[in-house]
Every structure is written in C-alpha cells, then in structure tokens.
C-alpha cells in the first residue's frame, strides 16, 4: 500500500473550537474528510483560550526557544474534540490568550500586534515543515496554508531554502493582512523580499501576497472565484499576480459537514424531517415564528438570512427590498453581527415591521440551524462570495436560496431548479429574483419539486477531499 501523504493544515480558526466564519467550518471538516480517504492531515492552530480548553489529550510536543523576536514558545499536541484529528497548538499566552475574538478585542478593534501574532503562527508552520531542521518524528510532505494569517509561511520556507511544497488557499481576497513596511525585517524577512516580486503590496507588507507569491500552488474555494480573482475588481489589486499564476491556480469547491447540518438528526431543531418526510419542517417554521415573535402564519413566505453583516454580503440590498417583501405578505428573519451601521439597519427594519421582521444581532449557532430549517427561502445576495456555505446548508434543509450569481454561489445554485440566481448587482437585481421566487412559492407542487431538488444534492466533503488529495499528490510528486 502507498505510504500515506502527510499534510500540515495551518489555520487561524477551526470548528468547534473557534469560529468567525466559513474558514472555521472548512478547517473543522476538511482535515477529517482527508483522513477518511487515507491522508494523514494534521492541524496547526494558535493557542487561544478556547483551543487550549477544547483540544483533547493536550501534551507538550516541543519547546521552541530560538524563534527570533519571540520568547520561548511551547508546541502542544492533542486531538480535535469531535473528529479526533491530530492538532498541534502554538502555546504563547502573550499573543494568543486574551479576552475577545481571534483577531479583534471585545470592542471589535483589530489587535495592534496581529502582524506578530500571525507571523508566529506562520513561523511555527514553516519550522515544522522544513526538512533542514527536523524537529519531530512527524514531518509533513506538504504545508497547506489558509488565508493571510498563514501567508508568511511559504515566504519563510522559501528564504531558508526548504523545498517542501506549499499550497496557499484563499478563502477571501478581501482580507490581505496589510502592515507597515518596517515590519518586513522585524518579522525576519530579508529586505530583498520587499519588492513587487515578493511581499510588497502598494508600499506595504501583505501577508496574503507573500503566500500567493511564494506558494507552489494557489487554490481558492470555488472554480468561479478562481476565475474572478484574475481580473479587476474581484482581484482586489492582486489580479495581475494571480493571472500570471493561472497555471498554478485552481478552485476546489467547499463541501459542508453533512453530519452537523442534517435535518433528520439535528439536535438544534424542535422537530426533525427529511426529503421523504417533510412534515417536521412546518413545525420548525411555526416554532421559529413563535420564538421570534413573528405572526403565526404558515402561508407567509418566510425569508431567512444568516450572515456577517458586512458590505460583501449585500445586506443593504436586502434592506432596500424588505418593505416590498412585507407588502407581498412575506416575513423576514435576520441573524448576524458586524458593521455597526448595518446592525442598526436591520434593527430599524424590524422596529418598523413588528410581527413581520425579526432581527437577532449576535452570534448563535443553534438559532442559525433553526433559521435554516424554519425558513422557506434564504437570502444570499453577496456582492462577491468565494464559496459561501449557507446556500448549501439551505438546500439541504429544503430552504430555497436566492443568490447573486457570483463565485461559489454560481457554482452551487441552479437557477429555477434548486434556487434563484440573479445577475444584476443591485437591489433591483435582487428584487427581480424575489418576485420570481414568490411566484414559484405560490405554486405548491412546483415549490416542492424545488425543495426536493435542493435536498438531494450531494455537497459532502468527500468530493472536495479527493480533489485536494490529488493536488497534494501532484505537488509532492
Ligand atoms: P463567511 O465565511 O464569508 O462569513 P460562509 O458562508 O462561508 O461566509 O460561512 C459563514 C458561516 O458562519 C456559516 O456557517 C454561517 O452559518 C455562520 N454564521 C455567520 N454569522 C453567524 C451568526 N451570527 N450566528 C451563527 N452563525 C453564523
Ligand atoms: C470565506 C468566504 C466564504 C467561504 C469561506 C470558507 O470566509 O467569504 O465565501 O465560504 O471563506 O472557504
């Protein structure tokens, strides 16, 4: 039997330990799916408090005493709580143990030392990977980095002359890890790296650019987004570099955790249901209406939205069409948090339409499942969307998504078959899709066919895991 591939999966968040968005869902599920198909994939995570508290059988693996710019760092190892995936943890309380989230303090401000925090994560990833300094018996054949937080790792590997292959996955090009140029040398990068052909990005240091420039392969989380980022505007300033790497750039669609998002066995729901027995979905809708003080009306088309409340997600377009939805007899439920003005916008809307619109500002995983189950339709009019997960959760829950035809939304929703896809990037574009959806909703046999078409899609991780494994094999040779 072939020796199993060893992959170090370096990431700044992973479910169920720490999550701000879809990256955590991916990091929680993909390594487990890779292990299922025989790839020895292990995680590397920062030692935030919930990570130290949640990882099982945690013990010291190594003491790292000579990392330039840092005091002694402990590397711990253990297992992920649900999946048992092996995980290495960078234990450095000064940088990682603090109140607040992984990137921001309790008031939502970025930590001022984020460059140092994630340079440390990248340094450790590079150290564990480099065959020139074997630190442990287990040494990866390939380092897989995710987003700007691990972007310096391919650069560090390059400058110490380690040939181990690297993959840089872009989950969202809008977050580039931009820091002042004086950090280049402080973070241990040679000055020559501060160039257009290097880590420089419009006069600053960009962690993501470093990863994109020095990694052997760039991947992103849907085939359409892989094309979109090679051009303006979605290339967000890196389109030239990305287009020049078109032969070493690919899109692999995310999957979803079908055990976690599973209507026949979802412990968050008041009632289970499945494609063969749909009765429970009506109960989920009624219970959601009751919990959120919406009118108890089984006929009203109920629209759900669960999202980071940022410009990317097109919430402003939803706010512009919401009065129209209510006029047509519809109801709306929002769950999200993010930019203060957007949060206020959804609160104001709910205030204007008591009994018809509910807005929950905050983060609530259980409620997110109940909204997926209790809604008839799901709104995801993102201006851009590298992949997006909720449109897939929605289909699995028989909740028909309305999406803007970009990125992964385009790759996972088929217009008039499993959902409604609009092209014009505006509130008007969204409204045309809402009108089509309301007409379809009124035709019950047709609606049921759409629900079932979504519920029978296969969005499991198995397919994507096989694509990643094939890519790893190609690069490892
Ligand atoms: P992104 O990573 O850009 O935020 P994704 O669609 O890939 O978008 O993933 C978002 C993930 O975060 C989904 O699992 C979604 O259900 C979850 N999520 C977003 N906002 C909330 C919230 N307020 N409460 C609970 N879950 C949320
Ligand atoms: C990012 C993207 C989202 C994607 C997620 C996981 O946060 O915004 O589209 O689904 O990463 O890859």
């Amino acid at each position: 039997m072939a020796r199993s591939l060893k992959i170090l999966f370096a990431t700044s968040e992973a479910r169920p330990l720490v999550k701000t968005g879809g990256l955590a869902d991916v990091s929680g599920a993909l390594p487990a799916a890779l292990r299922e198909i025989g790839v020895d994939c292990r995680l590397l995570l920062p030692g935030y408090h919930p990570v130290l508290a949640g990882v099982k059988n945690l013990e010291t693996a190594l003491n790292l005493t000579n990392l330039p710019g840092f005091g002694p760092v402990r590397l711990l190892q253990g297992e992920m709580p649900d999946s048992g995936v092996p995980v290495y943890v960078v234990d450095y309380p000064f940088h990682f143990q603090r109140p607040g989230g992984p990137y921001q303090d309790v008031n939502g401000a970025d930590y001022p030392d984020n460059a140092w925090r994630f340079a440390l994560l990248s340094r450790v990833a590079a150290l564990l990977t480099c065959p020139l300094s074997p630190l442990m018996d287990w040494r990866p054949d390939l380092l897989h980095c995710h987003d700007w937080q691990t972007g310096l790792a391919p650069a560090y590997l390059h400058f110490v002359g380690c040939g181990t292959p690297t993959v840089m996955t872009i989950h969202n090009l809008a977050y580039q890890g931009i820091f002042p140029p004086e950090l280049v040398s402080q973070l241990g990068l040679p000055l020559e790296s501060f160039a257009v052909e290097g880590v420089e990005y419009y006069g600053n240091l960009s962690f993501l650019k470093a990863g994109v420039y020095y990694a052997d392969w760039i991947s992103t989380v849907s085939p359409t987004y892989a094309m979109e980022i090679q051009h303006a505007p979605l290339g967000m300033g890196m389109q030239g570099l990305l287009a020049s790497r078109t032969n070493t750039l690919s899109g692999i669609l995310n999957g979803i955790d079908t055990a976690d998002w599973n209507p026949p066995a979802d412990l968050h729901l008041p009632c289970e249901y499945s494609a063969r027995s749909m009765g429970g979905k009506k109960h989920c809708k009624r219970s959601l209406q009751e919990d959120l003080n919406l009118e108890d009306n089984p006929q009203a088309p109920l629209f759900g939205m669960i999202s980071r409340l940022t410009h990317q997600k097109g919430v402003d377009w939803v706010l512009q069409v919401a009065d129209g939805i209510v006029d047509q007899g519809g109801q709306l439920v929002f769950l999200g948090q993010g930019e203060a003005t957007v949060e206020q916008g959804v609160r104001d809307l709910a205030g204007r339409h008591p009994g018809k619109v509910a807005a929950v500002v905050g983060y609530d995983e259980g409620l997110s499942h109940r909204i997926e189950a209790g809604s008839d339709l799901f709104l995801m009019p993102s201006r851009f969307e590298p992949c997006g997960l909720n449109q897939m959760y929605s289909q699995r829950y028989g909740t028909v998504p309305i999406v803007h035809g970009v990125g992964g939304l385009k790759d996972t929703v088929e217009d008039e078959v499993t959902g409604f896809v609009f092209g014009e990037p505006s509130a008007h574009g969204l409204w045309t899709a809402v009108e089509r959806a309301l007409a379809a909703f009124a035709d019950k046999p047709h609606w049921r066919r759409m629900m079932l078409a979504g519920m029978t899609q296969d969005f499991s991780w198995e397919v994507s895991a096989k694509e990643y494994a094939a890519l790893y094999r190609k690069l490892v040779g």
Side-chain angles (χ1 to χ4, degrees), residues 400 414-420 446 449-454 457:
V400 177
E414 197 181 340
D415 191 35
E416 299 278 346
V417 178
T418 56
F420 296 91
H446 176 62
R449 276 197 301 280
M450 288 194 78
M451 291 166 79
L452 290 178
Q457 298 290 309

Side-chain angles (χ1 to χ4, degrees), residues 19 21-22 25 306-308 313 335-336 362-365 368 380 385 388-390 393:
K19 166 166 166 175
D25 297 66
I306 303 160
S307 183
R308 289 186 293 113
K313 301 293 181 176
L335 169 63
Y363 186 89
D364 186 335
E365 196 152 318
S368 75
M380 217 159 157
E385 195 60 78
L389 300 171
N390 283 98
Y393 301 152

Side-chain angles (χ1 to χ4, degrees), residues 120 127 135-136 199 207 214 232 254 278:
L120 175 59
L127 260 180
L135 293 175
M136 296 196 297
V199 304
F207 278 38
Y214 290 106
N254 284 334
M278 292 286 283

Side-chain angles (χ1 to χ4, degrees), residues 182-405:
E182 52 273 20
L183 283 179
V184 170
S185 56
Q186 292 179 34
L187 297 178
L189 289 166
L191 281 178
E192 76 206 61
S193 71
F194 192 67
V196 175
E197 314 238 304
V199 304
E200 189 265 355
Y201 178 80
Y202 296 98
N204 283 309
L205 157 66
S206 160
F207 278 38
L208 185 64
K209 163 108 186 275
V212 167
Y213 187 78
Y214 290 106
D216 295 288
W217 195 272
I218 304 156
S219 81
T220 184
V221 286
S222 68
T224 294
Y225 192 59
M227 302 300 294
E228 289 169 343
I229 58 176
Q230 297 181 47
H231 308 276
L234 292 188
M236 299 193 176
M238 285 196 210
Q239 58 271 12
L241 171 59
L242 290 162
S244 76
R245 299 219 41 196
T246 193
N247 295 327
T248 47
L249 164 64
S250 60
I252 301 180
L253 198 63
N254 284 334
I256 62 171
D257 188 331
T258 49
D260 191 32
W261 293 93
N262 191 24
D266 184 334
L267 297 177
H268 296 293
L269 304 188
C271 193
E272 60 217 26
Y273 62 94
S274 67
R276 266 177 287 135
S277 162
M278 292 286 283
K281 186 163 169 74
K282 293 199 180 80
H283 181 73
C284 290
K285 178 172 178 180
R286 163 174 267 179
S287 136
L288 184 66
Q289 288 172 323
E290 189 179 317
D291 289 351
L292 298 179
N293 298 318
L294 294 173
E295 286 167 10
D296 172 12
N297 179 354
Q299 305 307 330
L302 175 51
F303 292 72
M305 180 161 192
I306 303 160
S307 183
R308 289 186 293 113
L309 299 179
T310 61
H311 187 69
Q312 174 192 346
K313 301 293 181 176
V315 199
D316 50 328
W317 294 342
V318 177
L319 294 178
Q320 289 176 58
V321 304
D323 290 339
I325 289 177
V326 173
D327 286 347
Q328 302 280 320
Q331 299 182 345
L332 274 142
V333 171
F334 291 90
L335 169 63
Q337 60 185 13
E339 292 163 12
T341 49
V342 190
E343 290 183 351
Q344 198 50 47
V346 296
R347 279 201 194 96
D348 290 347
L349 179 77
R352 283 210 312 280
H353 296 291
K356 307 271 181 134
V357 179
V360 179
V361 172
Y363 186 89
D364 186 335
E365 196 152 318
L367 181 59
S368 75
H369 285 242
R370 294 196 295 281
I371 292 175
E372 284 292 5
S375 304
D376 298 299
L377 304 107
F378 194 87
L379 293 170
M380 217 159 157
S382 311
R383 286 186 165 78
F384 65 93
E385 195 60 78
C387 181
L389 300 171
N390 283 98
Q391 80 282 9
M392 293 189 267
Y393 301 152
S394 298
Q395 289 174 62
R396 198 160 157 80
Y397 280 65
T399 300
V400 177
I402 298 178
V403 305
H404 184 202

Side-chain angles (χ1 to χ4, degrees), residues 114 133 432:
N114 271 344
S133 56
T432 57

